[in-house]
Amino acid sequence: MSSIALNYVMTLLARREYSEFELRNKMQEKAFSEEEIENTLSFCQQKNWQNDKRFAENYIHARSQRGYGVNRIKQELRQLKGISNEVIDEALWETTVDWQSLTLSVLRKKFPNYEQKQTPKMKQKIWQYMLSHGFYSEDFADLIGSTPEEDF
């Protein structure tokens, strides 16, 4: 393991948490050899300087604070950050995020009149927004007001 590679990784980790996948990509961009990358990352993991589970926990907390639901966060962790499903599930299991109240607060903030009767177009807009932000439909479907046509 070269000191240059270790210094590079330590500089990155000093600023924020990174997943192993992100660090590997950054090191490849800097043209470090595969052996250097492997040795440096395993050393950092042995010292617990880099930990995918800790990264996932922090990421879940940060993204939920920004109003994103569990589906979106899981997808981002898997596809963008390279975290395994097992680590994601473990981090989600241990999280203290109240997904029900988060769903309700996002609905209240984005659509203050969500409890009132909605036109089909508005109802569709609410559904698209909530689904695209990673919320389960069963968590918000009953909260949205009925359309005027449903009263007949």
Side-chain angles (χ1 to χ4, degrees), residues 36-50:
E36 282 180 309
I37 294 171
E38 203 59 47
N39 291 338
T40 304
L41 291 179
S42 64
F43 179 78
C44 290
Q45 289 167 345
Q46 288 170 358
K47 296 284 189 181
N48 203 26
W49 296 337
Q50 191 283 319

Side-chain angles (χ1 to χ4, degrees), residues 63-68 101-115 122 126 129-130 133 135 143:
R63 296 300 279 168
S64 66
Q65 293 295 309
R66 304 267 325 204
Y68 290 98
S101 66
L102 177 64
T103 303
L104 192 57
S105 69
V106 168
L107 257 176
R108 282 186 181 139
K109 183 177 179 184
K110 185 70 179 170
F111 305 100
N113 301 326
Y114 72 93
E115 291 176 314
M122 187 60 183
I126 295 171
Y129 180 85
M130 294 302 287
H133 277 70
F135 294 98
L143 300 174

Side-chain angles (χ1 to χ4, degrees), residues 19-60:
S19 69
E20 178 184 349
F21 177 77
E22 289 177 306
L23 288 174
R24 189 175 299 280
N25 286 343
K26 286 189 168 290
M27 291 181 79
Q28 287 170 346
E29 288 173 6
K30 294 288 184 180
F32 287 105
S33 71
E34 283 303 315
E35 184 181 349
E36 282 180 309
I37 294 171
E38 203 59 47
N39 291 338
T40 304
L41 291 179
S42 64
F43 179 78
C44 290
Q45 289 167 345
Q46 288 170 358
K47 296 284 189 181
N48 203 26
W49 296 337
Q50 191 283 319
N51 183 312
D52 276 352
K53 183 173 175 259
R54 185 177 61 224
F55 172 82
E57 290 168 350
N58 290 336
Y59 193 83
I60 290 167

